[in-house]
Amino acid sequence: MSAATRHVLFVLLALLAVFVTAAWNLPRAWLGSPLSLLPPVLVCAALQEQGSAWQWVAVVGGLARDSLSLDPLGVSILPLYLTGWFLSSHRELLLSELAFAQAILGLAVGAAVPLLTLGLVVASGDVPAMGGRLFWQWLVLTVSGGLITPAMFRIWRRVEAWFAHPMIPSTSFREDREILRGKY
Amino acid sequence: MSVRPQWLTFGGVMLLVLVLLNLPQAASSRLRLVLGTVYLPLFGATRVAGTVVARAEDALTPRGLLLRRNQELEDENRGLHARLLQAEEALEENARLRSLLGWREVSPWRLQAARVIARDTASWWRTVYIDAGTRDGLKPDLPVLAAEGLVGRLGAVGPVSSEVILIGDPKCRVAVVVREVGENGVLTTLSPGVLDHRLVDLTHLARNTALQPGQTVFTSGLGGVFPAGLPVGTVVDWRSVGYGLYTEARVKLHADTSRLREVMVVLP
């Protein structure tokens, strides 16, 4: 799969994550908070992709998220970008193939992105209602980020498989070792 | 990617963020609505899928259950029809008395129904998005109702979708009156420290207000955004604050804003 296709797919995945966050009301009705879906896409993009897909996820995903929120437009770009940059620059050191490591990274990013965003929202002059409810919502976002990130890696592998050429299974057959039987 | 292009890109992103954050309010709202239109086809598809599922459920519902439900609705309809006749009589009487007193006539509400298509992606705001906009006659700040009572007011309004700021959000304060005692107050934010999203703080009540649990709260019409008489909720409890200078109460909203599906906008 070409780098451009991967970029487009990651951006589409980010847009879809924002759409599901806004349109799927079940977690909000049951847990009092939406699930964290965009940070797992960012983690996946930053660790899977050599190029700049994570930057596109941060900018386009952040804009899309803010377009469906009372937050000032553009406020969530920076937190996503900074966390994506950190992950991308430490890609070689992170055990991104292990589900456990993916979950820990998801927890960390799921916790950091809402905190940084809220900090910027407050700094820009908008003050949402603070209190115990906000802490609970942050917990839900953190835990859901940790749970969804390994699943997001699996989804990405599946998506990649759709667009890649099928692998030719290796075989032990060798013509020079073929035992020919019968009359010849 | 090498270090230098990364810093250049970061500079570009910072510039973009600074420009966006410093846009005038009107331009920012317009840009937000334009970006939000990307999702309109998806919201439309979700609605169609929901309709298909609902039809499938209808097809699977037993006929006996439907007949019983139909009978219940017919009974309820008869009762409501009788109450409507009484209300019309009272309305006519009210209009007659108003004209005798020389008071200005009150025009009846015109309602625009709309569906909730999305909710705020940030968990710290209480906002929903509906599938009606300027082409349906909506304007910013119009009151929004559910069947049970007031739920909020319109924020930014686009051509085909609008933002509804719900009661309990810091950006939606409602001037209300406790009907039984005639005391005016302001509904502010959700009560802190509880997970019940229907409990809202009612502040600015006089210190010796005779509040009782179960007293009803309606819009007072003060402030000019919400017309008087819209049902809002009931008083749950109250406490003295500010060294006894005034009273603060908790109000349970009639409408469950976390499960809203359809709303009505009160048109001017």
Side-chain angles (χ1 to χ4, degrees):
Chain A
M1 194 186 343
S2 71
T5 314
R6 290 163 77 96
H7 282 40
V8 170
L9 285 175
F10 267 120
V11 167
L12 287 177
L13 210 55
L15 290 173
L16 193 65
V18 173
F19 169 73
V20 174
T21 308
W24 192 30
N25 191 37
L26 196 68
R28 209 182 302 252
W30 283 91
L31 301 169
S33 168
L35 300 180
S36 176
L37 295 174
L38 191 54
V41 178
L42 183 81
V43 175
C44 195
L47 296 181
Q48 291 282 303
E49 173 65 40
Q50 294 275 332
S52 57
W54 63 270
Q55 292 172 332
W56 285 100
V57 168
V59 174
V60 178
L63 274 176
R65 179 203 169 278
D66 294 341
S67 74
L68 293 174
S69 171
L70 265 190
D71 281 345
L73 191 64
V75 80
S76 58
I77 294 177
L78 208 54
L80 288 167
Y81 193 91
L82 290 176
T83 45
W85 196 1
F86 177 82
L87 290 175
S88 167
S89 54
H90 293 82
R91 190 193 295 123
E92 309 304 326
L93 303 174
L94 298 168
L95 302 168
S96 58
E97 293 305 312
L98 299 178
F100 178 72
Q102 292 163 2
I104 295 295
L105 287 172
L107 273 175
V109 175
V113 168
L115 275 184
L116 289 171
T117 310
L118 187 60
L120 281 176
V121 169
V122 173
S124 70
D126 287 329
V127 183
M130 304 283 187
R133 184 179 290 106
L134 198 60
F135 179 69
W136 167 254
Q137 288 168 340
W138 176 73
L139 269 183
V140 172
L141 289 171
T142 305
V143 173
S144 63
L147 293 176
I148 292 167
T149 303
M152 193 59 76
F153 273 84
R154 294 221 171 96
I155 291 170
W156 175 249
R157 271 184 220 126
R158 187 66 60 86
V159 171
E160 238 180 357
W162 288 341
F163 286 86
H165 291 294
M167 294 276 284
I168 300 167
S170 58
T171 171
S172 57
F173 175 74
R174 281 172 57 179
E175 273 187 18
D176 57 328
R177 289 194 177 181
E178 186 181 12
I179 300 168
L180 298 170
R181 298 179 191 280
K183 287 182 181 176
Y184 52 87
Chain B
M1 198 187 282
S2 63
V3 175
R4 193 176 149 80
Q6 274 197 354
W7 279 102
L8 280 176
T9 320
F10 178 64
V13 170
M14 276 298 287
L15 192 68
L16 173 73
V17 171
L18 284 174
V19 167
L20 286 172
L21 289 178
N22 288 294
L23 279 177
Q25 184 66 38
S28 177
S29 295
R30 207 165 301 139
L31 185 58
R32 183 194 304 271
L33 288 167
V34 169
L35 290 170
T37 52
V38 171
Y39 285 110
L40 286 178
L42 279 176
F43 289 131
T46 313
R47 199 169 120 185
V48 171
T51 312
V52 169
V53 171
R55 279 192 189 151
E57 277 176 8
D58 288 350
L60 293 172
T61 310
R63 190 166 177 272
L65 185 72
L66 288 174
L67 286 171
R68 197 168 59 242
R69 184 82 188 116
N70 192 37
Q71 187 59 47
E72 283 169 9
L73 287 173
E74 276 182 7
D75 293 345
E76 191 184 344
N77 191 29
R78 269 194 287 276
L80 288 173
H81 192 68
R83 285 181 65 185
L84 180 68
L85 289 174
Q86 283 178 337
E88 277 176 356
E89 183 66 31
L91 216 65
E92 277 176 25
E93 188 184 50
N94 183 280
R96 251 193 336 268
L97 292 171
R98 272 181 175 273
S99 69
L100 282 173
L101 287 169
W103 284 11
R104 195 164 64 92
E105 269 194 45
V106 179
S107 53
W109 298 335
R110 288 189 304 127
L111 300 174
Q112 170 67 48
R115 273 172 206 264
V116 174
I117 52 173
R119 281 158 203 279
D120 203 308
T121 48
S123 54
W124 41 83
W125 301 116
R126 286 171 54 79
T127 320
V128 295
Y129 293 83
I130 56 172
D131 65 348
T134 48
R135 69 168 187 188
D136 305 290
L138 306 194
K139 288 189 287 189
D141 289 337
L142 292 179
V144 182
L145 309 173
E148 298 85 5
L150 184 72
V151 291
R153 68 169 175 87
L154 288 183
V157 178
V160 290
S161 65
S162 310
E163 177 184 84
V164 179
I165 306 171
L166 300 174
I167 302 177
D169 190 281
K171 293 186 177 180
C172 180
R173 292 176 178 244
V174 188
V176 292
V177 59
V178 183
R179 180 163 277 184
E180 286 78 3
V181 290
E183 191 63 49
N184 284 295
V186 179
L187 279 183
T188 55
T189 53
L190 288 182
S191 294
V194 288
L195 290 175
D196 190 343
H197 51 268
R198 287 170 75 175
L199 287 178
V200 184
D201 283 338
L202 170 57
T203 59
H204 299 96
L205 294 166
R207 66 182 178 138
N208 42 13
T209 308
L211 289 177
Q212 295 289 332
Q215 286 174 334
T216 47
V217 177
F218 286 79
T219 51
S220 64
L222 299 174
V225 175
F226 300 98
L230 296 174
V232 177
T234 51
V235 173
V236 174
D237 53 18
W238 67 95
R239 66 197 169 102
S240 186
V241 289
Y243 301 103
L245 284 176
Y246 63 99
T247 306
E248 204 171 82
R250 289 197 303 169
V251 172
K252 182 149 193 160
L253 300 175
H254 287 315
D256 186 352
T257 49
S258 72
R259 291 168 202 270
L260 283 179
R261 292 177 121 184
E262 287 96 20
V263 292
M264 288 165 291
V265 182
V266 182
L267 297 175

